[in-house]
Amino acid sequence: METASDLVLTFLANAVWQVTLVCAVALLCVRVLRRASMAQRHALWSTALLISVLLPVLSVIRSATIEIVPLRPETEAQATAPTVDQHGRTFPLSPVPGTAVLILYGVLVAWGSGRNALAWLGAWRIRRSAQSRPLTPEMQAAEEHCRASIGLAPVPMLCGSELSGPLTLGEREPIIVLPESLFQETSPELLRSVIGHEMAHIQRRDYLQKIILELLFVPVSFHPAAWYLKRRVDQTRELACDEYVTREMVDPPAYAQSLLDVARAIAMFRKPEHSLGVLDGDILETRIRTLLKPPARFGWLAGKAMLLLGAIALIVAGVMAANHAVGVATSAGLQGTVFDMSGAVVPKATVTLIENQTGLKHARRTSESGNFSFESLPVGQYTLMVEKFGFSRFRQYRMELGRTLQTNPVLTVGMVREIITVATTVTAQ
């Protein structure tokens, strides 16, 4: 099997070009689907981010699969003929730069994991400190109107004394945490806009999706294209909620004005990562412009069909990328079983690997079941020899090792020479 370091390096090598490819295909799809709804665009960007993480993982799984290489013995004359690179698209890497890359990547993953942990802690503190407070008549009317518009079950609405903006927390038992200033608000449009936006997140199950994508994003967070995909996911999530609210609860101009009012109130507010707020995405200007001048959209059926085509395009690109995955190896290995012509295993045979560049030999004895194994070999070209008394020597002069391979040499019965010495004694007469 491949070493853990080789698997991580393989993941990184494939992520560099596969994430870029998926991002490019997603951009092309969005260009074609410019009349799709924001919810459909959000689904497309989310699918692209998910595929960007899965593709390098599939490449690692493929690399970790031990390849069985058929061999035939070669003569010394045949050794000068061209040979096929038996480790395929596997690139050797010196252990020193490989270790440096692994250290940098480990630091980045640790930073991303720590950032997620701190975000969880911040969200947990807000949830724990939030207090129940009677809703004002205006808030109760806005809450009932929003719930009736989208058919949502009652959701606890708590007060966060340290907050300046509304938040949604939780998936199984979601809550809406409102700042204390909203409990003095009397504008029906603003209350419907704020409460409706948070309820739209709950109805769309955005919180669970956000958490999943945040966790999946960590392994590819070193890639600028992955950051772009994640930003587009966050932005289209908010735009999709805007469309939802203005379609079901509030008129677009009133909603746009409410966004501006909320933005002025929470300009200095920094919300925790693992929560959903009314001003997420950092695209307030784009949201206002979209609300006041909405673009033409596909019909429901046409939008679904185009979204399906976009998803198919991403999947096809992913399959093609998976078929061209590369491997990175800082060490190589070889394992297998020695057989004779009848298919029986050959125990106690001597298996020798000779490094063609240095002449260094690595020798093993096959076990009682005919098995042998070499691990942690330098990547390069080797000569394989298998010897056993009573059999012809098996030899392959050029074997490219760039990962762990499996091969099963077959020995043929050799000529056994027996020399008989006859001694005679001559007796003098």
Side-chain angles (χ1 to χ4, degrees), residues 104-126:
L104 290 175
Y105 182 66
V107 170
L108 182 62
V109 171
W111 176 81
S113 301
R115 179 171 167 268
N116 274 321
L118 290 176
W120 273 103
L121 182 59
W124 176 79
R125 286 177 176 172
I126 290 177

Side-chain angles (χ1 to χ4, degrees), residues 232-267:
R232 296 299 292 164
V233 169
D234 293 339
Q235 291 174 346
T236 52
R237 180 193 299 120
E238 297 309 308
L239 289 167
C241 281
D242 291 347
E243 283 187 347
Y244 198 96
V245 173
T246 54
R247 185 176 64 246
E248 304 289 346
M249 309 175 200
V250 185
D251 292 333
Y255 184 75
Q257 182 60 51
S258 298
L259 288 181
L260 290 174
D261 293 340
V262 174
R264 281 193 290 266
I266 64 176

Side-chain angles (χ1 to χ4, degrees), residues 87-393:
H87 57 74
R89 294 181 294 272
T90 301
F91 300 97
L93 182 65
S94 174
V96 174
T99 302
V101 171
L102 290 173
I103 292 175
L104 290 175
Y105 182 66
V107 170
L108 182 62
V109 171
W111 176 81
S113 301
R115 179 171 167 268
N116 274 321
L118 290 176
W120 273 103
L121 182 59
W124 176 79
R125 286 177 176 172
I126 290 177
R127 184 161 191 157
R128 186 176 180 182
S129 62
Q131 299 177 351
S132 177
R133 182 169 176 175
L135 301 181
T136 63
E138 293 82 4
M139 294 180 70
Q140 189 170 0
E143 188 263 352
E144 291 175 354
H145 172 81
C146 294
R147 283 200 302 108
S149 299
I150 60 177
L152 185 67
V155 178
M157 299 179 62
L158 308 179
C159 176
S161 58
E162 299 180 359
L163 297 182
S164 56
L167 299 176
T168 296
L169 298 172
E171 171 59 30
R172 295 183 58 186
E173 298 179 355
I175 64 170
I176 297 175
V177 185
L178 301 175
E180 193 169 0
S181 58
L182 278 180
F183 284 82
Q184 281 80 44
E185 182 62 51
T186 59
S187 170
E189 289 80 10
L190 190 146
L191 290 173
R192 288 181 183 179
S193 298
V194 170
I195 296 174
H197 186 92
E198 302 306 320
M199 286 188 174
H201 279 308
I202 296 173
Q203 183 76 353
R204 285 169 36 85
R205 306 186 72 86
D206 283 338
Y207 188 84
L208 178 61
Q209 183 209 64
K210 177 180 174 66
I211 296 300
I212 292 174
L213 291 181
E214 286 284 351
L215 296 177
L216 291 178
F217 172 71
V218 172
V220 293
S221 59
F222 70 94
H223 204 302
W227 278 97
Y228 179 81
L229 288 173
K230 182 176 179 297
R231 178 167 175 78
R232 296 299 292 164
V233 169
D234 293 339
Q235 291 174 346
T236 52
R237 180 193 299 120
E238 297 309 308
L239 289 167
C241 281
D242 291 347
E243 283 187 347
Y244 198 96
V245 173
T246 54
R247 185 176 64 246
E248 304 289 346
M249 309 175 200
V250 185
D251 292 333
Y255 184 75
Q257 182 60 51
S258 298
L259 288 181
L260 290 174
D261 293 340
V262 174
R264 281 193 290 266
I266 64 176
M268 303 300 293
F269 172 64
R270 182 179 179 86
K271 75 177 188 65
E273 292 292 335
H274 291 319
S275 62
L276 294 170
V278 72
L279 293 181
D280 288 358
D282 297 327
I283 50 169
L284 180 61
E285 182 180 352
T286 301
R287 294 170 67 182
I288 298 297
R289 186 169 59 249
T290 303
L291 288 168
L292 297 180
K293 191 177 180 181
R297 299 298 188 196
F298 288 126
W300 183 86
L301 184 59
K304 292 292 185 182
M306 296 301 290
L307 177 61
L308 179 61
L309 290 177
I312 291 174
L314 286 172
I315 294 173
V316 170
V319 171
M320 294 176 61
N323 289 334
H324 291 81
V326 299
V328 177
T330 56
S331 63
L334 182 68
Q335 64 185 40
T337 305
V338 179
F339 296 93
D340 62 18
M341 294 294 293
S342 67
V345 299
V346 181
K348 306 300 181 182
T350 301
V351 182
T352 306
L353 279 175
I354 305 173
E355 297 182 29
N356 289 354
Q357 186 174 3
T358 64
L360 185 63
K361 294 183 178 181
H362 309 268
R364 299 286 188 274
R365 283 261 189 179
T366 59
S367 64
E368 292 297 330
S369 56
N371 298 325
F372 66 91
S373 178
F374 295 87
E375 298 177 355
S376 300
L377 297 171
V379 176
Q381 190 180 84
Y382 290 80
T383 294
L384 171 66
M385 291 194 306
V386 183
E387 298 173 295
K388 171 77 180 209
F389 179 75
F391 294 89
S392 297
R393 176 184 294 172

